[in-house]
């Protein structure tokens, strides 16, 4: 039994990427460089895009950052990196967009936070200004509510109404309701100003898993705008990965979500692309998209005192990730390949047979041989010190012989088109 049918949402075009409308769930990420530092930002955007981020958000918090945006876009274009850039605006977005038209034009989408777009009498005017800029340059917007910067006037009003209710809800429930109301009311206001529904994406970000599930369940039931999923601060390391997966997987299983970000806190100087890899793997193991061949490896036990299978599994995973950019250009469907690296005879042969290509390494006390299975059948047996290199070569050979070359497919399609005329 797979995920529920995708929630029906409006399709929104973000440059060349479609979000919602039944399109594949989009993976996005965000830089943590100073946007005014063009070289560093370009380098990180390029790394995120090459890792598989289909949209990349950058902070636009001051004039220097806004002025850097067109230069970042130009540098990326020169490098052949066409990933859409999203501008993240808070507090003075109206000013930055109107005073820096090259920034407004260079971005593919604007993120507006209704909780800090303006306060009291300035709120409507400054929100309207940002929508007017989006209309002028034909840009979509994400109205992104965050419980750390929620509209306090709205929250107080709903809290007062709740206190007067015969059946008051908890403060947490009222806060969740305020987030949903803020997002939907802001979207309706944007429509009143002339922004069509096919240029609006919503998000309601929290940092708690159960609140995430509750808020997005309510939001999905009350609108048809595409939804961006993610915990606003997932945390570091395994905690961040587990929290993001636990919350988003439940919603994705229910058919909720059109684009996702895994907001991991990296180690100082750590690799920002990890959040992209986690997002891709989440979608792939759930059967929602395919990005990369999956490697199945056993966890090890008392039967596997050798570390050979652990090293081989890591080496094969690294090899596949390194080769995938070229493979994906050359071969159709290679991202669906499955590989198994198993450590002993108990489950090794069976798991290897289930994979497209698998190897069962000898466990403690077993014969020093490693049968290789291809498409469910034993193909050969490897022995000696060169098992890792030999198996890697077998994987390369499998890709070359199993998957269709893209240029052949293009030529075939062209011949078919001519014949049909």
């Amino acid at each position: 039994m797979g995920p529920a049918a995708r929630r029906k949402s409006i399709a929104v075009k973000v440059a060349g990427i479609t979000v919602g409308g039944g399109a594949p769930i989009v993976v996005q990420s965000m830089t943590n460089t100073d946007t005014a530092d063009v070289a560093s930002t370009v380098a990180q955007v390029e790394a995120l895009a090459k890792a598989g981020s289909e949209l990349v958000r950058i902070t636009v918090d001051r004039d220097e950052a806004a002025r850097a945006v067109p230069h970042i876009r130009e540098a990326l274009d020169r490098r052949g990196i066409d990933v859409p850039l999203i501008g993240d605006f808070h507090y003075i977005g109206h000013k930055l967009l109107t005073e820096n038209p090259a920034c407004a034009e260079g971005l593919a989408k604007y993120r507006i936070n209704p909780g800090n777009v303006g306060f009291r009498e300035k709120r409507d005017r400054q929100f309207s200004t940002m929508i007017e800029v989006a209309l002028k340059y034909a840009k979509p917007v994400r109205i992104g509510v965050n419980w750390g910067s929620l509209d306090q006037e709205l929250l107080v009003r709903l809290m007062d109404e709740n206190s007067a209710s015969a059946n008051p809800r908890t403060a947490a429930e009222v806060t969740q309701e305020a987030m949903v109301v803020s997002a939907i009311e802001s979207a309706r206001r944007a429509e009143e100003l002339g922004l069509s529904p096919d240029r609006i994406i919503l998000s309601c970000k929290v940092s708690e898993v159960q609140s995430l599930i509750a808020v997005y369940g309510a939001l999905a039931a009350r609108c048809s705008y595409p939804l961006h999923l993610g915990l606003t601060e997932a945390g570091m390391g395994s905690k961040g990965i587990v929290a993001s997966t636990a919350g988003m997987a439940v919603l994705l299983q229910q058919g909720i979500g059109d684009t996702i970000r895994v907001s991991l806190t990296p180690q100082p100087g750590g690799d920002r692309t990890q959040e992209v890899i986690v997002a891709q793997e989440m979608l792939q193991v759930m059967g929602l998209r395919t990005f990369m061949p999956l490697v199945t490896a056993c966890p090890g036990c008392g039967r596997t005192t050798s570390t050979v299978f652990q090293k081989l599994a890591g080496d094969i995973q690294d090899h596949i990730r390194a080769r995938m950019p070229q493979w994906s250009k050359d071969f159709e469907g290679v991202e669906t390949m499955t590989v198994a690296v198993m450590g002993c005879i108990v489950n090794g042969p069976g798991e290897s047979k289930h994979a497209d290509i698998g190897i069962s390494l000898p466990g403690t006390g077993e014969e020093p041989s490693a049968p290789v299975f291809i498409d469910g059948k034993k193909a050969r047996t490897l022995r000696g010190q060169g098992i890792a290199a030999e198996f890697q070569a077998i994987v390369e050979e499998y890709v070359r012989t199993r998957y269709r070359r893209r240029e052949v497919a293009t030529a075939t399609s062209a011949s078919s088109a001519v014949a049909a005329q």
Side-chain angles (χ1 to χ4, degrees), residues 101-263:
C103 168
E105 189 169 9
L107 294 168
K109 184 177 73 170
Y110 312 148
R111 185 275 174 109
I112 302 174
N113 183 344
N116 59 31
V117 72
F119 302 97
R120 297 184 175 85
E121 69 279 356
K122 293 182 179 180
R123 180 184 295 111
D124 285 347
R125 183 171 69 252
Q126 293 175 181
F127 180 82
S128 298
T129 298
M130 295 188 74
I131 298 301
E132 287 165 4
V133 175
L135 288 167
K136 179 178 180 180
Y137 294 101
K139 306 294 183 179
V141 302
R142 170 161 71 92
I143 294 173
V145 179
N146 190 308
W147 75 348
S149 52
L150 185 57
D151 181 344
Q152 291 302 298
E153 291 183 18
L154 171 63
L155 181 60
V156 169
R157 173 167 63 82
L158 293 183
M159 286 289 188
D160 289 343
E161 291 175 1
N162 184 63
S163 297
S165 171
N167 297 295
R169 293 179 289 179
T170 66
E173 290 172 331
V174 176
T175 300
Q176 292 166 10
E177 173 66 10
M179 295 184 69
V180 174
V181 170
S182 177
I184 293 177
E185 286 187 352
S186 297
R188 299 286 188 254
R189 175 60 180 152
E191 286 193 52
E192 290 172 0
L193 292 167
L195 195 67
S196 59
D198 63 354
R199 289 187 184 169
I200 300 172
I201 297 170
L202 299 186
S203 68
C204 286
K205 287 196 170 185
V206 299
S207 57
E208 185 181 276
V209 170
Q210 293 298 337
S211 293
L212 183 83
I213 295 168
V215 167
Y216 274 95
L219 187 61
R222 288 155 66 175
C223 74
S224 58
Y225 303 109
L227 303 180
H228 168 66
L229 303 186
L231 289 172
T232 187
E233 295 106 3
M236 298 182 71
S238 60
K239 185 269 178 182
I241 293 171
V242 170
S244 291
T245 305
M248 283 191 273
V250 170
L251 293 165
L252 293 168
Q253 186 72 12
Q254 295 173 0
I256 297 171
D258 301 286
T259 175
I260 67 171
R261 182 195 172 197
V262 176
S263 300

Side-chain angles (χ1 to χ4, degrees), residues 39-375:
S40 295
T41 303
V42 167
Q44 192 171 90
V45 171
E46 181 176 14
L48 290 168
K50 287 183 174 178
S53 185
E54 294 157 305
L55 301 173
V56 176
R57 184 158 45 110
I58 59 176
T59 297
V60 187
D61 58 347
R62 63 194 196 281
D63 283 321
E64 293 84 352
R67 288 195 295 268
V69 168
H71 301 293
I72 293 167
R73 181 71 272 167
E74 290 167 6
L76 289 169
D77 291 341
R78 287 196 299 270
R79 297 185 185 197
I81 306 298
D82 61 357
V83 64
L85 295 178
I86 302 163
D88 194 59
F89 295 97
H90 300 275
Y91 303 107
I92 58 170
H94 62 291
K95 177 177 179 289
L96 295 174
L97 284 170
T98 54
E99 295 180 1
N100 296 277
C103 168
E105 189 169 9
L107 294 168
K109 184 177 73 170
Y110 312 148
R111 185 275 174 109
I112 302 174
N113 183 344
N116 59 31
V117 72
F119 302 97
R120 297 184 175 85
E121 69 279 356
K122 293 182 179 180
R123 180 184 295 111
D124 285 347
R125 183 171 69 252
Q126 293 175 181
F127 180 82
S128 298
T129 298
M130 295 188 74
I131 298 301
E132 287 165 4
V133 175
L135 288 167
K136 179 178 180 180
Y137 294 101
K139 306 294 183 179
V141 302
R142 170 161 71 92
I143 294 173
V145 179
N146 190 308
W147 75 348
S149 52
L150 185 57
D151 181 344
Q152 291 302 298
E153 291 183 18
L154 171 63
L155 181 60
V156 169
R157 173 167 63 82
L158 293 183
M159 286 289 188
D160 289 343
E161 291 175 1
N162 184 63
S163 297
S165 171
N167 297 295
R169 293 179 289 179
T170 66
E173 290 172 331
V174 176
T175 300
Q176 292 166 10
E177 173 66 10
M179 295 184 69
V180 174
V181 170
S182 177
I184 293 177
E185 286 187 352
S186 297
R188 299 286 188 254
R189 175 60 180 152
E191 286 193 52
E192 290 172 0
L193 292 167
L195 195 67
S196 59
D198 63 354
R199 289 187 184 169
I200 300 172
I201 297 170
L202 299 186
S203 68
C204 286
K205 287 196 170 185
V206 299
S207 57
E208 185 181 276
V209 170
Q210 293 298 337
S211 293
L212 183 83
I213 295 168
V215 167
Y216 274 95
L219 187 61
R222 288 155 66 175
C223 74
S224 58
Y225 303 109
L227 303 180
H228 168 66
L229 303 186
L231 289 172
T232 187
E233 295 106 3
M236 298 182 71
S238 60
K239 185 269 178 182
I241 293 171
V242 170
S244 291
T245 305
M248 283 191 273
V250 170
L251 293 165
L252 293 168
Q253 186 72 12
Q254 295 173 0
I256 297 171
D258 301 286
T259 175
I260 67 171
R261 182 195 172 197
V262 176
S263 300
L264 298 180
T265 304
Q267 294 288 342
D271 189 352
R272 190 68 164 180
T273 62
Q274 184 190 19
E275 65 178 44
V276 180
I277 294 169
V278 172
Q280 289 181 328
E281 290 178 345
M282 183 197 311
L283 294 176
Q284 186 153 346
V285 299
M286 292 186 69
L288 295 169
R289 286 191 68 180
T290 53
F291 299 94
M292 181 85 56
L294 293 177
V295 176
T296 299
C298 72
C301 67
R303 295 181 60 90
T304 56
T305 52
S306 169
T307 60
V308 174
F309 83 96
Q310 296 167 323
K311 185 175 187 308
L312 180 57
D315 288 348
I316 287 295
Q317 182 72 75
D318 291 343
H319 179 74
I320 288 172
R321 192 167 292 282
R323 294 286 287 131
M324 193 57 193
Q326 189 61 50
W327 283 349
S328 62
K329 291 178 182 177
D330 294 343
F331 302 100
E332 293 184 5
V334 67
E335 67 277 1
T336 65
M337 180 175 67
T338 56
V339 180
V341 179
M342 304 303 294
C344 80
I345 200 171
V346 174
N347 292 319
E351 287 284 357
S352 296
K353 289 177 183 177
H354 285 303
D356 292 322
I357 180 169
I359 186 170
S360 179
L361 293 161
T364 306
E366 293 176 8
E367 182 185 351
S369 62
V372 174
F373 298 83
I374 297 177
D375 293 331

